[in-house]
């Protein structure tokens, strides 16, 4: 079993190194490539140290749990993550907080991402705890960029439509 884990680790890390290199040289987004390398490296180290392939996905499971907690906390303290990020990106800083409609929209968008974190956690935790590596790999893959893309699209729709769902 341990030999298979090591082989899988080497393939995963090698693939990420290649893709990170391509991404860094074509997009010049070094930090994203570096984060991908670090997460993959830590996952591979964890799986290699325990000898259980399922442990490769533990960082992904934990990131979903932590992400959900952060998004929930941001809603509870009325400083939604989406508002902070978009307010900074748009140069508004925290000016959006004075606009009740915009504040509700940012709360809604943060809630959309929170729902994603909750659903993904509800799927990944049982798969991880039962050692179901293949379904866990598929679920982790789908819960990444595809799920975030759907959330981003929904938020874009709510933020661009005047009075959409919040009045």
């Amino acid at each position: 079993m341990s030999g298979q884990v090591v082989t899988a680790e080497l393939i995963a890390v090698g693939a990420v190194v290649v893709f990170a290199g391509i991404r860094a040289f074509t997009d010049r987004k070094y930090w994203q490539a570096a984060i991908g390398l670090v997460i993959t490296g830590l996952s591979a180290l964890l799986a290699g140290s325990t000898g259980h392939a399922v442990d490769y996905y533990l960082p992904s499971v934990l990131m979903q749990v932590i992400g959900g907690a952060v998004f929930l906390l941001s809603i509870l303290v009325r400083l939604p993550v989406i508002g902070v990020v978009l307010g900074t990106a748009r140069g508004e800083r925290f000016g959006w907080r004075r606009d009740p409609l915009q504040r509700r929209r940012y709360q809604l968008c943060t809630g959309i991402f929170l729902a994603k974190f909750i659903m993904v956690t509800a799927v990944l935790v049982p798969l991880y705890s039962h050692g179901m590596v293949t379904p866990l790999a598929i679920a982790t893959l789908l819960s990444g960029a595809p799920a975030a893309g759907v959330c981003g699209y929904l938020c874009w729709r709510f933020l661009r439509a005047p009075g959409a769902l919040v009045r």
Side-chain angles (χ1 to χ4, degrees), residues 3 10 13 20-22 26 29 31 37 53 73 78 81 84 94 97 100 129 132 145:
L10 291 174
V13 172
I22 292 169
T26 58
K29 294 181 180 175
W31 65 272
L37 279 171
L73 182 63
R78 297 188 174 273
V81 170
V84 173
F94 293 103
R97 294 189 75 197
S129 62
M132 302 175 76

Side-chain angles (χ1 to χ4, degrees), residues 5-128:
V5 172
V6 172
T7 303
E9 287 174 349
L10 291 174
I11 292 170
V13 172
V16 170
V17 167
V18 169
F19 286 121
I22 292 169
R23 177 96 190 229
F25 287 113
T26 58
D27 292 343
R28 303 273 190 233
K29 294 181 180 175
Y30 301 106
W31 65 272
Q32 291 175 342
I35 289 172
L37 279 171
V38 168
I39 291 171
T40 303
L42 288 174
S43 297
L45 261 167
L46 184 61
S49 66
T50 65
H52 301 287
V54 73
D55 288 335
Y56 180 86
Y57 297 98
L58 181 59
S60 297
V61 173
L62 293 176
M63 286 191 315
Q64 295 300 318
V65 172
I66 292 167
V70 168
F71 275 62
L72 176 61
L73 182 63
S74 79
I75 289 172
L76 293 175
V77 299
R78 297 188 174 273
L79 196 60
V81 170
I82 301 300
V84 173
V85 170
L86 290 180
T88 302
R90 293 177 172 174
E92 302 172 346
R93 294 193 179 182
F94 293 103
W96 55 269
R97 294 189 75 197
R98 291 187 293 275
D99 180 359
L101 180 61
Q102 192 68 358
R103 191 173 58 245
R104 283 193 299 271
R105 285 180 176 166
Y106 286 151
Q107 287 275 67
L108 175 65
C109 288
T110 302
I112 289 170
F113 276 91
L114 174 60
K116 181 213 72 103
F117 283 119
I118 290 169
M119 287 187 284
V120 169
T121 299
V123 170
L124 294 185
V125 168
L127 293 175
Y128 176 80

